[in-house]
Amino acid sequence: MKLKDRVHMADKRKIKSEASSSSSTIDNGKGESVVVDVGRRRSSCGYCKSGSNTSITHGLWVHSLTVHDYQALLDRGWRRSGCFLYKPEMEKTCCPSYTIRLKASDFVPSKEQVRVSKRIQRFLDGSLNIKNSDEQNEFSSASSAQKDIIVDNPNRLQANNIDQMIDYLSDLINSAVLTCIEKGEFPNKIQFPKASVKSVSPNKRKLQVEEAQYLVYTSNISFQIAAALRWVHKNVGPEKDPKFVAEMLSDHLNNSASAISLSVRACNGHINFYSTETQTQADATVGRPGVSKGSSSKFPEKFQVKRQNLEIRLKRSTFDTEEYELYRKYQIKVHNDTPDHVTESSYKSFLIDSPLIFVQSNGDGSVPPCGFGSFHQQYLVNGKLVAVGVIDILPKCLSSKYLFWDPDLAFLSLGKYSALQEINWVKESQSHCPSLQYYYLGYYIHSCNKMRYKAAFRPSELLCPLRYEWVSFDIAKRLLDRKPYVVLSDFATLQNEAPLLPNAIEDQIEQEDLESNDIRVDGDEEMSEGAFEDSEDDDELVGSVTTSLVLAEMRKDVSNIVIGLRGMQLKYKDIRQAFVPNERNYLESQLDRYVTAVGTDLSERMIYSIG
């Protein structure tokens, strides 16, 4: 029998008389958090794909929720999906999910994140070129867009800018990878990592004696591609050897590289770019990737995209047909959802519905101009919607919930770019609301490679699952490398010690960021009560008198929990005697788990609705 049915069996008159003294002391006005406890539930895991109900969480249905209460719940490891809140039972679930955040003012972008911003800027100012002029006003399909992207025309490369040449060569390699896919040399169902090119300092430069050529740039992308191929196809073949991959890509790169006076060679799995000039001129090639006057005729003319206009809008969470159509396109093309699964109703319950009570700005610095609540941040290029970030703006943070974007613009890495914009928004908002300092990225699962990109936003912190203290990711990573569940605060003293090889840690995270695709995998999956199966264990139900007595001795104080019953708000201590022993024992066991999950303060502040 369900809890609310048990309550309805109690003596209603007795409840009313005993509650009269306490109900008048509870705030019955607006701005209250009202929750329905779902309890512990098991479900299949979308991360480890175990095939059984190994994901264990505690769930709450929420009628209304204040932003301050949700902030407190986030800081205890909760997240929301629509109006459903859930929290992993970290010791028991298959994939422990740690809340991850960073302080926006301390954020230091990685090299890859800087490249993403520059790529977007080149796209907007017209220096990111597309071959097919028919695509000037419309975005191409995902595959053809990536294939046809030719980055900065070398004629446009500015003097003394190594980064521009590095970006140019990186995109040349990415185009070569797509050419290999098109020709069937690489499989087309793998998300290959993006290329990273590094300049070679003069003291490390190698001379090709035969032709007097100096090594000026190099890339190790072949090792990453070979690893991706081996991961998908376990059998070993020549195409999975980095040396073979490097030679194949070098063949496709020769013509493009020769246009900027570079030659390409594969060397032990590396793709090396050599200058055909003298040593002095080679230094100039690294420091000044632009071309000299009179040499522009070397470069083939390419169609140049016209200048684009980017607009970012922040709006309250409401249904928008254009947003829904973009979401549908994204889910089908990027996540391979079937069209009948991506319905308007599922979209609304997942990303539109929100229990958060909106708080307007009052101009005193405690609330930002946009207010607190649930929002959609829209990204529009020339008036066309290309991405939507679903976010909650709370007293201490911007909490990133979900992002969907136009698959035709996958080459722009809009997932990473939007995260950078959200971090920047927090920085700018601190002048209006000093308490708003953090950017929450959802859940981080160390065993899930697709979530590793979150750790690239540094310096980040993970929430201890027991004491709810924040611990540096650099400390947490060393612990999580050994086992999936760790009481992180036990090792918090390590934060006062010198970091262990900080450069090595940063390089590893940077490499994982480069290898990851641009699909932001948030902990906030589409979830509902229907996705959970009742899994009450035998020892969790009302059992023998002996078992009940033992459990009662171990229980927390639940007397001040506010019970919501048929329009009344009553402290549990004032209605406790209205239940017969078995009913009282069952209810108190549920309340005990609830207090454990949300904490004493919240349990006495939120309304625990039972009917």
Side-chain angles (χ1 to χ4, degrees), residues 135-276:
E135 296 173 347
Q136 179 174 2
N137 297 317
E138 295 295 332
F139 303 121
S140 63
S141 65
S143 59
S144 64
Q146 291 187 25
K147 170 175 57 106
D148 290 340
I149 287 303
I150 302 296
V151 297
D152 298 294
N153 186 319
N155 288 316
R156 295 179 57 86
L157 294 177
Q158 298 177 359
N160 302 317
N161 194 332
I162 298 176
D163 288 340
Q164 282 193 325
M165 179 62 88
I166 287 175
D167 288 345
Y168 176 65
L169 295 177
S170 297
D171 283 347
L172 282 183
I173 296 175
N174 291 334
S175 295
V177 172
L178 290 163
T179 300
C180 290
I181 295 173
E182 187 180 63
K183 292 185 175 182
E185 295 169 344
F186 291 162
N188 60 7
K189 294 184 178 180
I190 299 178
Q191 182 74 39
F192 287 103
K194 295 176 182 177
S196 174
V197 174
K198 296 182 178 180
S199 62
V200 180
S201 59
N203 61 331
K204 295 183 179 179
R205 207 166 283 163
K206 295 180 180 179
L207 174 66
Q208 295 288 322
V209 179
E210 308 83 38
E211 301 179 24
Q213 294 183 341
Y214 287 91
L215 174 64
V216 287
Y217 298 99
T218 185
S219 174
N220 65 355
I221 184 63
S222 301
F223 292 90
Q224 300 166 39
I225 291 175
L229 291 169
R230 287 195 300 271
W231 178 261
V232 176
H233 304 290
K234 302 300 182 183
N235 55 310
V236 178
E239 71 280 2
K240 301 175 188 66
D241 182 0
K243 295 180 181 179
F244 181 85
V245 173
E247 290 171 0
M248 183 183 301
L249 292 176
S250 297
D251 289 341
H252 290 295
L253 288 166
N254 273 320
N255 290 336
S256 300
S258 63
I260 49 175
S261 301
L262 295 178
S263 64
V264 186
R265 285 190 177 84
C267 181
N268 294 323
H270 293 268
I271 300 174
N272 291 339
F273 296 87
Y274 297 88
S275 170
T276 57

Side-chain angles (χ1 to χ4, degrees), residues 421-585:
Q421 290 300 308
E422 290 166 1
I423 293 170
N424 189 58
W425 185 92
V426 175
K427 287 183 179 179
E428 293 178 349
S429 297
Q430 289 180 23
S431 61
H432 303 289
C433 181
S435 67
L436 209 164
Q437 299 185 31
Y438 292 93
Y439 178 59
Y440 283 51
L441 294 88
Y443 284 137
Y444 173 81
I445 301 176
H446 195 60
S447 59
C448 179
N449 289 330
K450 288 184 178 181
M451 281 201 178
R452 295 292 178 94
Y453 80 92
K454 295 185 179 184
F457 293 91
R458 296 168 55 82
S460 56
E461 303 172 301
L462 298 186
L463 184 66
C464 174
L466 182 62
R467 299 185 185 93
Y468 306 110
E469 299 172 0
W470 294 97
V471 176
S472 164
F473 177 82
D474 289 346
I475 300 299
K477 183 182 184 300
R478 286 183 275 168
L479 304 171
L480 295 174
D481 282 340
R482 300 171 186 171
K483 57 182 180 178
Y485 174 75
V486 182
V487 179
L488 299 175
S489 57
D490 284 349
F491 303 87
T493 54
L494 294 176
Q495 295 182 113
N496 299 322
E497 300 176 4
L500 177 63
L501 299 176
N503 293 332
I505 292 175
E506 183 171 359
D507 289 345
Q508 181 175 352
I509 294 174
E510 173 78 7
Q511 188 60 40
E512 289 168 347
D513 186 34
L514 285 168
E515 294 177 3
S516 68
N517 57 34
D518 193 52
I519 302 173
R520 278 171 58 177
V521 182
D522 296 296
D524 307 334
E525 293 185 311
E526 184 175 355
M527 303 179 76
S528 66
E529 186 180 26
F532 291 75
E533 296 183 8
D534 194 342
S535 64
E536 299 287 0
D537 298 327
D538 291 340
D539 64 345
E540 294 171 349
L541 299 174
V542 178
S544 65
V545 175
T546 303
T547 303
S548 299
L549 289 174
V550 172
L551 290 174
E553 291 176 358
M554 298 172 61
R555 286 176 190 156
K556 298 177 178 61
D557 181 12
V558 299
S559 60
N560 289 318
I561 293 178
V562 182
I563 305 294
L565 176 62
R566 297 200 170 189
M568 297 182 294
Q569 296 172 12
L570 323 162
K571 286 189 177 179
Y572 177 67
K573 65 183 179 182
D574 296 312
I575 61 171
R576 185 175 184 272
Q577 297 306 317
F579 301 97
V580 297
N582 278 351
E583 293 168 349
R584 185 164 58 245
N585 186 68

Side-chain angles (χ1 to χ4, degrees), residues 77-116:
W78 290 82
R79 299 290 293 174
R80 77 172 183 89
S81 175
C83 293
F84 188 75
L85 268 64
Y86 59 99
K87 174 186 178 180
E89 294 199 0
M90 299 286 278
E91 286 187 277
K92 300 178 180 179
T93 193
C94 54
C95 295
S97 306
Y98 297 82
T99 300
I100 183 171
R101 75 174 188 181
L102 66 84
K103 192 171 185 178
S105 59
D106 293 341
F107 172 63
V108 179
S110 67
K111 293 178 182 178
E112 168 63 11
Q113 290 157 0
V114 171
R115 279 193 288 268
V116 167

